[in-house]
Amino acid sequence: MSDRDLCRKSLAVLASLAGSFPAVAHAEAVIFAPHRAVYEITLANSVAGSGVTDMSGRMVYELTGSSCDGFTQNMRFVTRMTNQEGSESINDLRTSSWEELAGKRLRFSSTQYQNDVIAEASQGDAVRMKPGGGADVELVRPSKKKVSLPADIYFPMQHAAALIQSAKTGQSHLTANLYDGSEKGEKYYVTNSVIGKKYEQGAIANAAAIKDAAKLEGLASWPVAISYFDAGKDKEDTPPAYELSFRYYENGVTENLKIDYGQFALKGELKELTVLPQGKCAGDAP
């Protein structure tokens, strides 16, 4: 896997960490907590021939907004990778998106730098004209192009809400087509999520060392593993492109990340957490 491929796939993975469909239509609404989280990225393991001997870095993720005005996700993911020849490369991925929570609209942009040089950029706007209908994407970068998405497509925050709703109602699986604007904005993934048994205690192990981590105490959380498959009938029997696992809190905070690409895997340890002010909706009490 090339450095550029790694960053493109990382974008798809991280974006997933953000109108209901029948499986969760009557579930309790999810209240996302605006927050800023910093994760330390390290190499969990690699196999011979992967071309990756070491990797380290940091990911900063920020969620702001509200259920009525939509949510904005900003992320910066910087890694230093060492290959089997001992050469190092620095990848810097910066993404931003705004999403209307009911899945009506998604605006996204991303810029990827490799060794301080722009390697790739994408930008677009996805709109669902009616509930339960397909979405149309207007791409601006890397070139102007229109993309049509199926009626059962989920956007990132919409998918995040569906995961939490599924966990709260005791479901152990969620299958969804997911679009987040990654891979040049031209494709979506078929995802299969497995939700484990709810954790008994809410706070993370190193809560004392992390600002605002105590605010997770008492919140429900579950182990979640998501497999990402390339869409298409010719890809139905292929293994997943990658897998993501994490502990997911009912307010949308994640910790204990692991991204498995098959030949190597990364882990992300939560180092900083800052809970931000909740966005206001019209009619809220002052």
Side-chain angles (χ1 to χ4, degrees):
M1 180 184 296
S2 68
D3 295 351
R4 184 173 298 183
D5 288 339
L6 171 62
C7 277
R8 282 206 301 263
K9 292 183 180 298
S10 296
L11 169 59
V13 170
L14 298 170
S16 70
L17 296 176
S20 300
F21 289 87
V24 293
H26 303 291
E28 179 184 350
V30 175
I31 301 176
F32 288 103
H35 66 279
R36 182 179 186 269
V38 179
Y39 302 86
E40 181 180 280
I41 305 297
T42 56
L43 182 66
N45 60 267
S46 64
V47 301
S50 67
V52 179
T53 60
D54 192 26
M55 184 175 292
S56 61
R58 177 164 283 208
M59 181 182 79
V60 180
Y61 170 83
E62 186 173 277
L63 175 69
T64 57
S66 67
S67 58
C68 51
D69 292 331
F71 286 95
T72 296
Q73 297 183 88
N74 290 299
M75 186 270 295
R76 187 173 182 185
F77 183 47
V78 181
T79 58
R80 181 187 299 271
M81 185 177 75
T82 305
N83 63 21
Q84 56 193 8
E85 285 78 33
S87 298
E88 292 185 343
S89 61
I90 297 177
N91 292 289
D92 184 350
L93 182 63
R94 307 175 191 186
T95 72
S96 179
S97 68
W98 174 86
E99 180 180 338
E100 192 277 330
L101 188 57
K104 295 180 181 178
R105 189 170 186 179
L106 170 68
R107 293 197 301 260
F108 60 89
S109 66
S110 69
T111 305
Q112 176 197 331
Y113 297 83
Q114 187 170 348
N115 296 324
D116 296 324
V117 177
I118 294 180
E120 189 173 293
S122 63
Q123 181 179 347
D125 194 346
V127 178
R128 194 192 312 268
M129 298 305 296
K130 59 181 180 180
D136 295 320
V137 184
E138 291 278 354
L139 292 176
V140 177
R141 296 189 297 174
S143 61
K144 291 186 177 181
K145 186 175 183 179
K146 292 186 178 181
V147 178
S148 295
L149 301 173
D152 59 354
I153 202 73
Y154 283 72
F155 295 152
M157 291 298 296
Q158 185 184 20
H159 184 245
L163 275 175
I164 295 172
Q165 288 171 328
S166 295
K168 284 186 171 183
T169 55
Q171 297 183 57
S172 59
H173 291 83
L174 175 67
T175 300
N177 291 328
L178 176 62
Y179 179 83
D180 57 20
S182 63
E183 303 285 349
K184 298 182 180 180
E186 296 184 12
K187 64 182 294 185
Y188 65 89
Y189 283 95
V190 178
T191 66
N192 183 36
S193 302
V194 177
I195 305 167
K197 184 179 179 181
K198 184 171 70 172
Y199 286 107
E200 292 299 325
Q201 57 184 36
I204 61 179
N206 57 339
I210 300 176
K211 176 187 175 183
D212 285 348
K215 294 183 178 181
L216 300 177
E217 184 70 48
L219 295 180
S221 63
W222 304 264
V224 175
I226 307 176
S227 298
Y228 293 76
F229 298 87
D230 291 320
K233 290 186 177 181
D234 58 332
K235 305 293 181 67
E236 289 180 350
D237 296 324
T238 60
Y242 46 84
E243 297 177 305
L244 172 65
S245 61
F246 49 91
R247 182 177 183 174
Y248 211 10
Y249 288 85
E250 62 179 313
N251 64 351
V253 175
T254 63
E255 63 129 346
N256 195 24
L257 304 176
K258 185 175 182 181
I259 309 169
D260 191 342
Y261 295 101
Q263 292 189 320
F264 68 95
L266 305 177
K267 63 179 179 180
E269 181 181 355
L270 182 63
K271 289 294 187 180
E272 299 177 28
L273 175 65
T274 304
V275 175
L276 303 174
Q278 189 75 39
K280 298 294 183 181
C281 293
D284 284 352

